[in-house]
Amino acid sequence: SQGTTATAALSWGEGPRGSILTDLRVTASYSSLAIILTLYFEIISKIEKEIIKQVLEITNGKKVETAEILGITRNTLRTKMNYYEKYT
């Protein structure tokens, strides 16, 4: 085994639309790393889903405007919406 402890460090910075994750450093065994990354992506997915939902409400469901505000393409927005509809 490569160790029994796991640590994670997140660094936040300011992006054009507010705070963004700028760095993620993880030290862990392989099994711990899998757990940390699973939890990380689960949390990020929940936050992202809520942000998309709120921006859609603000734009009255206008996907092109929502994508523009989020800084992603309409196709990426559609992909994320389809994913969250199916898997969350």
Side-chain angles (χ1 to χ4, degrees):
S1 172
Q2 290 191 344
T4 58
T5 61
T7 59
L10 302 175
S11 297
W12 295 90
E14 287 299 314
R17 291 180 174 80
S19 295
I20 57 170
L21 180 64
T22 58
D23 192 20
L24 169 65
R25 295 176 190 255
V26 177
T27 305
S29 66
Y30 289 124
S31 61
S32 296
L33 179 60
I35 293 167
I36 290 169
L37 291 177
T38 299
L39 290 172
Y40 170 78
F41 287 114
E42 185 177 318
I43 291 166
I44 294 299
S45 293
K46 288 181 181 192
I47 293 168
E48 184 178 62
K49 178 182 178 180
E50 187 60 31
I51 290 170
I52 290 170
K53 180 180 168 185
Q54 289 183 16
V55 176
L56 279 167
E57 287 177 16
I58 291 167
T59 63
N60 295 314
K62 296 176 185 170
K63 293 181 181 80
V64 172
E65 194 174 328
T66 297
E68 195 173 292
I69 290 169
L70 294 174
I72 59 178
T73 66
R74 184 180 53 81
N75 287 337
T76 299
L77 176 62
R78 185 176 62 233
T79 299
K80 289 177 180 292
M81 289 173 64
N82 287 338
Y83 172 82
Y84 292 130
E85 185 178 303
K86 288 180 184 177
Y87 299 109
T88 59

